[in-house]
Amino acid sequence: MLDDDIKQQLAAYLERVKQPFEMVASLDDGDSSKELRELLEEVQAARPDMITLRLDGNDARKPSFALAAKGTDTQLRFAAIPMGHEFTSLILALLWTGGHPPKVEADVLEQIKNLGTDLDFEVYMSLSCHNCPDVVQALSLMSIVNPRVKTTVIDGGLFQQEIEAREIMGVPTVYLNGEYFANGRMSLEEILQKVDTGAAKRDAEKLSAKAPFEVLIVGGGPAGAAAAIYAARKGIRTGVVAERFGGQVNDTLEIANYPGIPETNGPAYAAALEAHVRNYEVDIMNAQRVAELVPAAETGGLITVKLDNGGQLASRTVILATGARWRNVNVPGEQEYKTKGVAYCPHCDGPLFKGKDVAVIGGGNSGVEAAIDLAGVVKHVTVLEFLPEMKADAVLIRKLKSLPNVTIHTNAQTTEITGEGGKVSGLKFKHRGDGTDASVDLEGVFVQIGLVPNTEFLGEVVERSKFGEIVVNARGETNVPGVFAAGDCTTVPYKQIVVAAGAGSTAALSAFDFLIRTPAPASAQAEARQAVTA
């Protein structure tokens, strides 16, 4: 099942296994079970002295297999053939079960170990979903570290009946103790915050106790990462507070236009960004949402960043690099049927609509690329573009028009997403040319109409454009002294990774210039001395 190169790489990874464990497979006579057995036999052959394969499992989900170190009560099961994007999840699960330490902060591991309630997770994923591995790996680690946590990883393509019974139309989707828990990409820290009721208060206290920063960056995407690297290399106290490191890059399948990197994918690039930043003395505060920015003029010295959990951070300068998110189409039915047919990631959720009729709203590059991708999986794709002509590159439009199972409507305004039985059943739109109404029966709607900046928390504190973008000059300066901004959240005309990274470095250099030209407030000097002596 694995080619020779992959087998060699697998064997090299499994050399890190320190303690024996077993894989217990539950199989039937189907082709999928034969594939899984072949995969597990190849895994076992890579490290026969440490890995035992048993074929006597009796789990109701077939094919599936459980991992357990001998003498432990690990409760991790894959109801899947974990290839594709989940092959890395399999390797990590094997290593962790075999005693190889995870690359996780010690306090996070301790938090997992101290979870005192029984948690039974079921995570539904697809092998083509690049958002799923983070969730799969986080829950796998939790079940390996804490015997009171049980995790079952389920491939929706293999267990379609469960997908339909639970009306799952977006992955990753997680159930906890039989009840819906969450949908979409989540970090380990975010999951822990949801299940550990005391985590928010502890985080707030820990964050509020930190000494003031000289540069505090809000956001961990390409702009934020570049800013952190440039600031840290100046030898100044640098912090990054972010909801998830990598930002929207995590949701990008392919990156092929970054100079010097001919081809990579979003999650890999996001991981590389974080690893690069961690090479320096940067305080990364992940899974934190900013609620408010208070300028130095109002505090009498330092800029204050208030967090959702009640904590707050202080800094002499702040760089806003909060990025952007998918824009909603804002029609009746969109919010009601999110994850029930309304989706935003064709790569993640497309396989769940195999053989079904779907629509793509948006005729730009992202919309046309989504339609081309979906056309290879679904029965039929209807593309709706608001303007008289599609805005995508000509080569993409030609490809789209060549596909036999695609219908294109330009000058079409989406008016409603309809549903039946709790999930999407159709879409209504208006022909803008003559005002006539039309509708199409379908089971999925993919919204691809651009981005909206993540700047609502700023209110009237920082000047923003009518689109919500932070107004900046060529140096990344805002209208507030000491506050800079970079990337997709700003008025920069091109929303590209390379542009954001350049803007982030510019903002950091400008912040450094501000610091050397502006005397530090007395309060900041005192707290900095106290932090050094502590």
Side-chain angles (χ1 to χ4, degrees), residues 456-478:
E456 292 87 349
F457 71 94
L458 293 171
E460 302 297 324
V461 173
V462 177
E463 182 184 359
R464 295 183 291 156
S465 72
K466 64 180 181 179
F467 303 109
E469 298 168 326
I470 301 169
V471 178
V472 293
N473 63 16
R475 295 169 57 88
E477 295 171 321
T478 71

Side-chain angles (χ1 to χ4, degrees), residues 127-310:
L127 299 181
S128 62
C129 169
H130 59 283
N131 284 328
C132 294
D134 275 4
V135 179
V136 170
Q137 291 163 24
L139 294 176
S140 297
L141 178 61
M142 289 173 64
S143 64
I144 291 169
V145 171
N146 188 329
R148 299 194 69 171
V149 179
K150 177 181 179 181
T151 296
T152 304
V153 180
I154 305 161
D155 180 2
L158 279 182
F159 295 90
Q160 194 69 36
Q161 288 184 339
E162 289 190 41
I163 291 287
E164 293 175 356
R166 282 180 159 170
E167 297 184 347
I168 295 171
M169 305 187 79
V171 290
T173 292
V174 181
Y175 279 74
L176 173 58
N177 298 333
E179 300 292 331
Y180 174 82
F181 177 72
N183 171 267
R185 192 183 191 114
M186 291 179 292
S187 67
L188 174 60
E189 292 85 356
E190 288 172 315
I191 294 171
L192 288 172
Q193 283 182 345
K194 289 173 72 73
V195 298
D196 185 354
T197 55
K201 182 179 179 181
R202 292 196 302 272
D203 275 354
E205 293 173 349
K206 184 168 68 173
L207 292 167
S208 297
K210 290 181 180 290
F213 294 94
E214 290 176 285
V215 175
L216 177 62
I217 299 145
V218 181
I229 292 166
Y230 269 74
R233 286 173 61 87
K234 293 294 185 181
I236 55 181
R237 178 167 162 74
T238 304
V240 176
V241 57
E243 287 191 57
R244 56 168 177 161
F245 212 96
Q248 197 186 19
V249 164
N250 287 295
D251 302 326
T252 303
L253 184 62
E254 180 182 284
I255 300 171
N257 58 355
Y258 197 95
I261 305 176
E263 185 176 350
T264 185
N265 61 70
Y269 181 67
L273 284 176
E274 183 169 0
H276 194 170
V277 173
R278 289 189 183 277
N279 284 339
Y280 302 97
E281 293 185 7
V282 176
D283 189 345
I284 297 177
M285 296 155 281
N286 223 339
Q288 301 295 335
R289 189 181 185 92
V290 173
E292 186 181 353
L293 178 76
V294 184
E298 296 183 21
T299 65
L302 295 168
I303 302 166
T304 298
V305 172
K306 296 184 178 181
L307 307 174
D308 263 4
N309 62 12

Side-chain angles (χ1 to χ4, degrees), residues 74 76 85 207 238-239 293 311-312 323 337 386 396 415 422 494 516 531:
T74 300
L76 173 60
H85 285 293
L207 292 167
T238 304
L293 178 76
Q312 60 183 37
Y337 297 113
F386 182 81
L396 294 175
T415 56
Y494 304 111
I516 61 177

